[in-house]
Amino acid sequence: MAKISDELDDVQRRIQAAREAQDASNQNVRDALTRLEAKVAELETIINDGEASPEVQAKLDELKSAADDVRTAAESADDGYEPPVVEPAPVPGVEGEPEPGSVADRQRGGF
């Protein structure tokens, strides 16, 4: 059987690997947004306040789609992981009074 310190070191390495993966993912999203903002700024320099030409509209549509893709990627970064639900500790009741948190307990949210 392995020493507990070796096992704890392994857990720490796994935590660090997860942290590095998260950091890399976040950096990739930030970089994608920076590139999109640069493209928007570039497009703004050639657009006047008139109607968008078909070429400009195609670029706008492409930018919208790319922004939606980055948003989807950012939102899905934690898909599949939900933190465990921790129930609050029970509040001890007082004999002769309504149970804490019950409907009859008007001081703790009862009706």
Side-chain angles (χ1 to χ4, degrees), residues 2-3 8 11 21 23-24 29 35 38 44 49 61 66 73 75 90 97 106 110-111:
K3 291 183 178 179
L8 290 173
V11 170
D23 291 344
V29 169
R35 286 190 301 273
E44 285 176 336
D49 287 335
D61 292 342
E75 288 174 343
E97 292 185 13
R106 299 202 182 279
F111 292 87

Side-chain angles (χ1 to χ4, degrees), residues 24-73:
S25 179
N26 289 338
Q27 186 62 49
N28 290 340
V29 169
R30 283 191 297 274
D31 291 347
L33 292 173
T34 300
R35 286 190 301 273
L36 282 173
E37 289 169 340
K39 288 181 181 182
V40 168
E42 178 184 318
L43 198 54
E44 285 176 336
T45 64
I46 63 171
I47 296 177
N48 57 25
D49 287 335
E51 293 292 319
S53 68
E55 296 82 20
V56 169
Q57 187 61 51
K59 287 183 180 186
L60 288 170
D61 292 342
E62 182 181 311
L63 289 173
K64 289 177 187 178
S65 177
D68 290 343
D69 291 345
V70 172
R71 179 181 177 187
T72 299

Side-chain angles (χ1 to χ4, degrees), residues 81-89:
Y81 175 77
E82 294 296 327
V85 176
V86 179
E87 295 293 328

